[in-house]
Amino acid sequence: MDQKQMTDLIQQMTLEEKIAQLLQLTANLHEGTDDQSQITGPMEEMGITEEMVRASGSVLGLSGASSVIALQQEYMKKSRLGIPLLFMADVVHGFKTIFPIPLAIGCSWDLRLAEKSAEIAARESSVSGIHVTFAPMVDLVRDPRWGRVMETTGEDPYLNSLFARAFVRGYQGSNLQEDKERLAACVKHFAAYGAAEGGRDYNTVDMSERQLREYYLPAYKAALDEGCEMIMASFNTVDGIPASGNEKLMRGILRDEWGFDGVLISDWASIREMIAHGAAEDDCDAAYRAIRAGVDIEMMTPCYVQHLPQLIKSGRVSEAWIDEAVLRILQLKNKLGLFENPLRGADPEAESEVLFSAEHRQAAYDLAVKSSILLKNNDVLPLKPESNVALIGPFAGQEDILGWWSCVGVKEDAVQLGAALQERLNHKLTIAEGCGIDTMTPQQLAQAMDTARSADVIVLALGESAAMSGEGGSRTDIKLPKAQLELVKELKKLGKPMAAVLFNGRPLDLHGVLGEADAVLEAWFPGSEGGAAIADLLVGKANPSGRLTMSFPQTVGQVPVYYNGFNTGRPMDPSKTGERYVSKYIDSPNEPLLPFGFGLSYSTFEYGQLSISSHEMSAEKPLEVSISVTNTSARAGIETVQLYIRDVCGEVVRPLRELKGFEQIELEPGESKTVKFTITEELLRYHHSDLSFTSDPGSFHIFVGPNSRDTLQASFTLI
Ligand code: GLC
């Protein structure tokens, strides 16, 4: 359908039909429409009536080719103008084949595999009838108390922007109209949802516009620049106004400044929640503020359907606002080819072959290997082939290793660490649970101690339950649960080598495990093939290469702690710990326990001299940086060489380090490679106090190394 046909179609629509396109409801409400008993409970409380359900323009959370086909066909029979339903769902790190959580994917620093994971997720979802995914989530995070850090790629705007683009490419491909195996992507949550005060979900977000633009907005913009079709408003306030009613954010920045003309959807009930925020009098006022801000689809509440007709009649709302929203929604349906083929890629026959295929599981395995991070290793890993191993901890059993937002993934389908290690170690492995996630019985402990006594080495399988992170999963204490720390303490008394594997959805306070274990492998929630990937890393069939994209704090008392902070006027000199009147704690170091970019390998790498093409650069003359890296071990391995810069003096204070480039290289034993970076003037731009985005002449430092802390340094001047 072309633009004119769409605008003609809108002319034919009644006001009620237009407004119905702006409502999105969950599938169960649709599926129950013929059974009056369904019109109870949440629907009545929410004020949702049966005809609203019947007419609404898109469906949330339904998948399964047959179900989607049935609902779409039923809907099309009654659709006076033949406008098909849009099916949207949270496909965040996989559909049936579940990949590691996005925070883990970020730690792979592998944009190609990230894109591939999104492409596979799209292939599985589209054959199951989904058209749009509510992903990528690109909220920048600096507070591990927040449960949804698991859903993002971390604390750096540059890296998050690259991953945002990779995910959008993977989900959408290059031609949504033709390629039925892709999905429209919906970047979220706009904006700055990850900056909730106290790391408490849905809490207030308040920062300067400059901070917002410098750190929090770039990744959303990158997703949209990559062609992302949709964007979702966040629950939180931005400078005192909930995003769902924030004109300056939505009409000002998103629409006018960035020129985004795609669909903007609210988050779940976030329009009505403006009342609770204290930013709307009632549903009618909430509807007014949201449509004025340009929110096109209302998710799960009927403020639009109930009040827009009156608001238009009273002249407070122009029907033009409705028409522009409806046009964006019809354009999206058109881009997906739904007018020609309302069933799009839904295919019950193909579904069973495509979902959870060996090829897809292999990709999930590869990404799980690359997302895991070796945090410590005093020569305990990889496990010696002759060792008798005791695997002990709650994740040796059947705990969920898929993590939050695992779509239609089935945790029982996941390859567990115990089973995978059993396969690889046979009779050399004994397993004991030792404790639950946060409970331990004397019998469990006794059995664990016995099991450990007869082994040469102990592998601990510890972590958070899947529900201890994710939406609504904020924690004030980010240590491992007490029962697990107790188990570690008791096992430590045996004086045997111990390696700990961690399954968690956030950076943890590792007191009680990092010091006690001789090796620690961060597995995050590694997905459907997680156990196999971790087992291969433990036995040395694979070599860890992940690097942290979110700092691990010493303790929660240090939060927020992140690598790209400022020097302050009284920086602490770590060599002068006695100084009092400097920016420091009297009970903790300033540095995080583990810095951004950190990760070990079974290989060892040596960095040669850092060389730069000149000590001066300009917009016309970029700077070339190069360094040789050698694998000085007997194992082939992957090193992620990172480039940071520091603008020594700006019109506003500038971070001590900012990631501006990285390159992942594979090195055979003894092999050297020279890594080159080009520093352009564009890379040195930042938001000034007047919000202009420019660079300043002056001195800069360059840092190159394996993480944000252990780096080689050089300097140059931008003229
Ligand atoms: C949830 C989440 C959002 C998700 C939406 C639909 O509350 O905040 O990320 O896409 O509702 O499930």
Side-chain angles (χ1 to χ4, degrees):
M1 193 186 285
D2 64 30
Q3 197 71 4
K4 179 162 178 345
Q5 287 170 304
M6 263 181 282
T7 42
D8 290 349
L9 178 55
I10 292 176
Q11 298 309 323
Q12 297 170 54
M13 293 170 79
T14 65
L15 181 61
E16 278 62 31
E17 285 168 334
K18 290 180 193 176
I19 293 171
Q21 288 295 311
L22 313 190
L23 174 61
Q24 178 171 104
L25 298 173
T26 45
N28 61 308
L29 301 180
H30 277 270
E31 287 169 326
T33 46
D34 291 335
D35 166 5
Q36 284 305 325
S37 69
Q38 288 287 326
I39 317 294
T40 57
M43 283 182 67
E44 267 169 4
E45 281 155 36
M46 310 275 279
I48 294 169
T49 63
E50 205 255 333
E51 61 271 12
M52 286 180 198
V53 174
R54 204 177 284 285
S56 63
S58 60
V59 179
L60 163 55
L62 180 66
S63 67
S66 310
S67 309
V68 169
I69 290 169
L71 186 54
Q72 185 74 288
Q73 285 174 337
E74 162 88 6
Y75 183 89
M76 291 302 283
K77 267 191 280 185
K78 300 174 196 126
S79 169
R80 184 175 73 88
L81 295 166
I83 301 173
L85 278 171
L86 258 182
F87 289 88
M88 306 192 190
D90 293 285
V91 184
V92 177
H93 55 108
F95 178 69
K96 173 87 173 171
T97 304
I98 302 302
F99 294 91
I101 53 175
L103 184 57
I105 294 176
C107 293
S108 73
W109 294 59
D110 188 327
L111 299 168
R112 184 189 58 79
L113 273 186
E115 180 174 340
K116 187 172 182 184
S117 73
E119 180 183 351
I120 288 170
R123 193 179 303 141
E124 295 194 348
S125 319
S126 52
V127 79
S128 299
I130 294 173
H131 305 146
V132 179
T133 177
F134 295 130
M137 187 273 219
V138 302
D139 303 328
L140 186 119
V141 289
R142 292 175 163 174
D143 192 328
R145 291 172 291 184
W146 194 46
R148 299 190 77 164
V149 300
M150 52 69 62
E151 215 175 321
T152 167
T153 47
E155 71 190 41
D156 181 73
Y158 169 85
L159 194 60
N160 288 356
S161 300
L162 293 175
F163 274 106
R165 288 175 176 273
F167 285 129
V168 168
R169 285 195 302 272
Y171 287 126
Q172 298 193 163
S174 53
N175 185 333
L176 272 178
Q177 181 96 34
E178 303 303 323
D179 189 347
K180 305 291 183 231
E181 296 190 350
R182 304 288 184 149
L183 298 174
C186 174
V187 63
K188 68 187 184 183
H189 304 78
F190 194 66
Y193 179 26
E197 273 181 13
R200 198 181 81 216
D201 211 346
Y202 318 119
N203 202 4
T204 305
V205 167
D206 205 344
M207 63 180 76
S208 68
E209 183 174 342
R210 193 177 56 74
Q211 173 88 344
L212 181 73
R213 288 174 176 275
E214 183 72 9
Y215 295 101
Y216 290 85
L217 295 189
Y220 307 112
K221 180 74 167 52
L224 299 179
D225 288 348
E226 196 66 32
C228 189
E229 292 293 344
M230 256 179 85
I231 190 164
M232 181 186 293
S234 59
F235 288 116
N236 54 283
T237 52
V238 178
D239 194 8
I241 301 174
S244 304
N246 193 316
E247 272 190 289
K248 180 173 177 183
L249 183 67
M250 298 308 184
R251 286 215 186 268
I253 295 179
L254 180 66
R255 302 285 189 200
D256 297 346
E257 185 182 324
W258 292 359
F260 178 67
D261 195 28
V263 175
L264 165 60
I265 187 169
S266 80
D267 202 337
W268 184 295
S270 66
I271 288 177
R272 173 174 276 174
E273 288 174 6
M274 285 198 271
I275 303 168
H277 270 294
E281 292 294 338
D282 51 27
D283 279 358
C284 183
D285 192 20
Y288 170 66
R289 289 163 185 264
I291 198 72
R292 184 182 62 174
V295 178
D296 301 312
I297 297 180
E298 177 176 11
M299 186 191 290
M300 281 310 283
T301 48
C303 304
Y304 277 6
V305 173
Q306 282 173 334
H307 298 286
L308 283 180
Q310 181 49 40
L311 284 164
I312 290 163
K313 275 195 197 76
S314 69
R316 279 190 75 200
V317 167
S318 149
E319 189 158 354
W321 284 351
I322 313 299
D323 291 349
E324 79 183 21
V326 174
L327 180 58
R328 291 188 192 115
I329 295 164
L330 296 188
Q331 281 169 329
L332 179 56
K333 294 185 178 185
N334 193 43
K335 271 188 183 178
L336 286 156
L338 293 177
F339 286 101
E340 291 72 28
N341 173 9
L343 304 185
R344 197 163 184 271
D347 182 342
E349 282 66 54
E351 205 170 16
S352 50
E353 282 118 57
V354 168
L355 267 53
F356 214 57
S357 70
E359 179 210 341
H360 294 177
R361 294 203 309 276
Q362 179 61 50
Y365 167 88
D366 294 342
L367 201 40
V369 166
K370 290 206 73 176
S371 306
S372 305
I373 304 150
L374 187 58
L375 300 180
K376 174 181 182 182
N377 188 22
N378 293 345
D379 196 25
V380 167
L381 293 177
L383 297 169
K384 315 271 182 292
E386 68 280 4
S387 302
N388 284 308
V389 177
L391 177 67
I392 300 175
F395 280 87
Q398 299 309 318
E399 276 299 328
D400 176 352
I401 63 169
L402 302 185
W404 203 260
W405 295 119
S406 49
C407 212
V408 301
V410 174
K411 69 175 189 170
E412 290 72 23
D413 287 348
V415 176
Q416 294 289 356
L417 178 56
L421 264 184
Q422 193 72 66
E423 228 177 81
R424 288 155 179 79
L425 300 180
N426 301 317
H427 64 283
K428 288 191 166 304
L429 178 74
T430 48
I431 298 177
E433 208 157 17
C435 67
I437 287 293
D438 198 8
T439 55
M440 176 155 69
T441 66
Q443 295 73 14
Q444 281 178 314
L445 178 60
Q447 202 224 339
M449 298 303 282
D450 286 348
T451 305
R453 278 191 199 93
S454 58
D456 305 312
V457 62
I458 300 165
V459 174
L460 297 159
L462 309 170
E464 297 178 305
S465 68
M468 288 168 72
S469 59
E471 185 171 357
S474 302
R475 294 178 68 196
T476 57
D477 174 353
I478 55 173
K479 291 193 192 70
L480 282 172
K482 290 183 179 54
Q484 294 182 48
L485 295 178
E486 183 60 27
L487 176 66
V488 173
K489 205 167 93 202
E490 291 306 311
L491 288 168
K492 181 73 183 169
K493 291 173 184 168
L494 299 177
K496 291 178 184 269
M498 285 202 303
V501 182
L502 304 179
F503 297 84
N504 44 296
R506 57 163 51 83
L508 295 174
D509 169 345
L510 293 178
H511 283 96
V513 63
L514 189 69
E516 285 68 15
D518 305 290
V520 178
L521 181 66
E522 176 57 75
W524 304 113
F525 285 104
S528 302
E529 292 295 318
I534 299 306
D536 281 344
L537 287 164
L538 289 173
V539 301
K541 185 157 175 277
N543 187 354
S545 60
R547 298 286 182 271
L548 291 177
T549 61
M550 191 174 178
S551 308
F552 271 55
Q554 304 277 352
T555 74
V556 74
Q558 205 186 24
V559 166
V561 60
Y562 44 90
Y563 89 95
N564 47 355
F566 305 121
N567 203 30
T568 77
R570 293 197 174 188
M572 175 183 167
D573 177 344
S575 64
K576 297 177 189 157
T577 47
E579 276 189 321
R580 181 171 178 95
Y581 302 106
V582 291
S583 180
K584 66 175 242 188
Y585 300 101
I586 57 174
D587 59 357
S588 163
N590 283 359
E591 295 68 35
L593 185 67
L594 298 165
F596 177 87
F598 178 82
L600 302 173
S601 163
Y602 295 149
S603 309
T604 50
F605 302 100
E606 214 161 83
Y607 283 65
Q609 285 307 309
L610 177 60
S611 69
I612 56 178
S613 53
S614 159
H615 286 285
E616 285 191 346
M617 70 163 279
S618 66
E620 297 68 38
K621 198 177 67 131
L623 197 69
E624 302 300 329
V625 177
S626 72
I627 188 159
S628 81
V629 182
T630 304
N631 178 346
T632 50
S633 72
R635 274 201 70 126
I638 294 171
E639 175 68 331
T640 301
V641 183
Q642 299 155 43
L643 166 76
Y644 298 86
I645 62 121
R646 179 185 178 186
D647 183 349
V648 177
C649 176
E651 189 252 357
V652 297
V653 294
R654 309 283 294 115
L656 285 162
R657 301 204 170 181
E658 292 179 278
L659 181 70
K660 292 292 179 185
F662 65 91
E663 185 170 336
Q664 216 163 56
I665 53 175
E666 297 201 29
L667 290 174
E668 292 303 316
E671 184 184 9
S672 296
K673 273 181 186 167
T674 299
V675 174
K676 295 184 187 313
F677 298 104
T678 301
I679 297 181
T680 61
E681 180 271 333
E682 287 83 5
L683 281 179
L684 309 180
R685 294 179 187 171
Y686 67 96
H687 290 88
H688 289 58
S689 53
D690 64 358
L691 302 183
S692 62
F693 187 65
T694 57
S695 63
D696 300 330
S699 39
F700 288 78
H701 296 323
I702 297 171
F703 306 94
V704 176
N707 59 61
S708 60
R709 179 190 63 198
D710 313 317
T711 50
L712 296 164
Q713 182 173 340
S715 303
F716 69 91
T717 305
L718 173 65
I719 48 179

